[in-house]
Amino acid sequence: HMQTLLNRFAISPDVLKEILKYWKPVIYPAGKILLMEGSVSDKIFYVKSGLVRAYYYQGDQELTSWIVGEGDFAYSVESYHRQAPSPETIETLERCELLYMTYADQQELLNIYPETNLITRMLQENYLVLYDQRVRLLRGMD
């Protein structure tokens, strides 16, 4: 999964091999909290299988921000990139096989292999497109 995704970039096989070393596998049951609202996100998750969602509270009403599945990334974008408290909680909706990378590992990887900045940019651009689609949908523009 991850290797297929990374193969889309013009990265040498040796660097690709090193990138994959930074991703650690984990399996969680349904209902596992990956990030609690108010905590600083220090991991980015790649979903190999299962569903993950983010939610927040408006008053006492729980609202789902997003749901992602196989082949997507699950993380609090604002919290992760700014290393600031998360405005949302992220949890598994079902048994999930995930890969994760820590923020510290990502920074190390970016310093050692500058070409990996392309992958980071792609993730951010992907998130911006999804965010734009959600905003338009909420405004009734689609």
Side-chain angles (χ1 to χ4, degrees):
H1 294 269
M2 176 66 73
Q3 185 157 358
T4 303
L5 176 71
L6 293 174
N7 282 337
R8 294 184 351 204
F9 302 98
I11 295 175
S12 73
D14 290 340
V15 173
L16 183 60
K17 198 171 170 182
E18 290 303 310
I19 291 170
L20 292 171
K21 288 180 186 176
Y22 281 84
W23 290 93
K24 297 164 185 69
V26 67
I27 298 173
Y28 288 129
K32 170 71 175 172
I33 301 295
L34 302 178
L35 177 66
M36 183 65 72
E37 178 182 347
S39 297
V40 175
S41 175
D42 68 341
K43 293 180 183 76
I44 184 168
F45 293 91
Y46 175 77
V47 182
K48 286 183 70 176
S49 68
L51 291 173
V52 177
R53 79 164 178 143
Y55 64 90
Y56 63 97
Y57 289 94
Q58 193 167 53
D60 58 355
Q61 186 177 11
E62 184 180 287
L63 300 171
T64 297
S65 306
W66 48 261
I67 297 174
V68 297
E70 182 179 322
D72 281 320
F73 291 89
Y75 68 116
S76 176
V77 174
E78 179 180 358
S79 178
Y80 184 81
H81 290 292
R82 292 188 174 170
Q83 288 296 281
S86 175
E88 58 199 356
T89 295
I90 301 175
E91 73 169 347
T92 59
L93 287 177
E94 57 189 29
R95 180 184 180 275
C96 289
E97 288 186 50
L98 308 169
L99 297 173
Y100 75 89
M101 180 187 294
T102 65
Y103 181 81
D105 281 350
Q106 184 196 29
Q107 297 309 302
E108 179 179 307
L109 188 61
L110 291 171
N111 287 329
I112 296 171
Y113 303 104
E115 60 266 47
T116 59
N117 281 285
L118 178 63
I119 297 167
T120 301
R121 192 181 88 205
M122 182 277 302
L123 290 174
Q124 292 169 339
E125 287 174 359
N126 185 57
Y127 175 79
L128 285 171
V129 168
L130 292 174
Y131 178 79
D132 184 58
Q133 290 171 347
R134 288 183 197 131
V135 168
R136 282 189 282 116
L137 184 64
L138 289 172
R139 290 184 180 164
M141 296 170 68
D142 276 351

